[in-house]
Amino acid sequence: MCWYQEFVVGLSVLARGTLHEKLHWAFSLYDINGDGIITRDEMTNIVCAIYDMMGKFSEPIIDEHTAQDHVDKVFLVRKFSSHYTNQANIVPSTI
């Protein structure tokens, strides 16, 4: 559950934060367990939650496979990078 203070801080970062702060906020949104790594499962959970909030009447139409398709595309693009792992990570000391 998102507490009011966390919600307001998140809005503040998105509205007034530096690029670095916004990127850190976005990464931490997907990094559910806070270990500095975004796994396919973590990304799937967040993308599914976002699509659930958007509802069934959004444009383009979202079906039960849309979230998984988008996550698959993200990890497919990462697969062709030179440093591919099945995870997205960030070095905590750079945050």
Side-chain angles (χ1 to χ4, degrees):
M1 181 181 347
C2 184
W3 299 101
Y4 180 75
Q5 182 177 357
E6 291 171 336
F7 178 73
V8 172
V9 169
L11 287 179
S12 177
V13 168
L14 290 176
R16 300 178 185 202
T18 64
L19 176 60
H20 181 77
E21 291 167 332
K22 290 175 184 180
L23 289 171
H24 181 262
W25 180 88
F27 188 91
S28 66
L29 173 71
Y30 288 91
D31 183 18
I32 296 171
N33 64 4
D35 66 353
I37 297 171
I38 300 172
T39 65
R40 184 183 291 264
D41 288 339
E42 286 174 317
M43 184 172 285
T44 300
N45 288 338
I46 297 301
V47 172
C48 285
I50 291 168
Y51 285 151
D52 285 346
M53 286 188 297
M54 291 171 61
K56 301 291 182 196
F57 302 104
S58 61
E59 286 290 331
I61 297 172
I62 298 169
D63 65 24
E64 64 272 6
H65 303 291
T66 304
Q68 189 61 53
D69 290 345
H70 284 145
V71 171
D72 290 345
K73 286 178 186 175
V74 168
F75 280 87
L76 180 64
V77 168
R78 288 192 44 76
K79 184 176 184 175
F80 291 106
S81 76
S82 61
H83 304 305
Y84 174 71
T85 64
N86 203 26
Q87 305 165 336
N89 58 31
I90 188 169
V91 178
S93 63
T94 64
I95 298 174

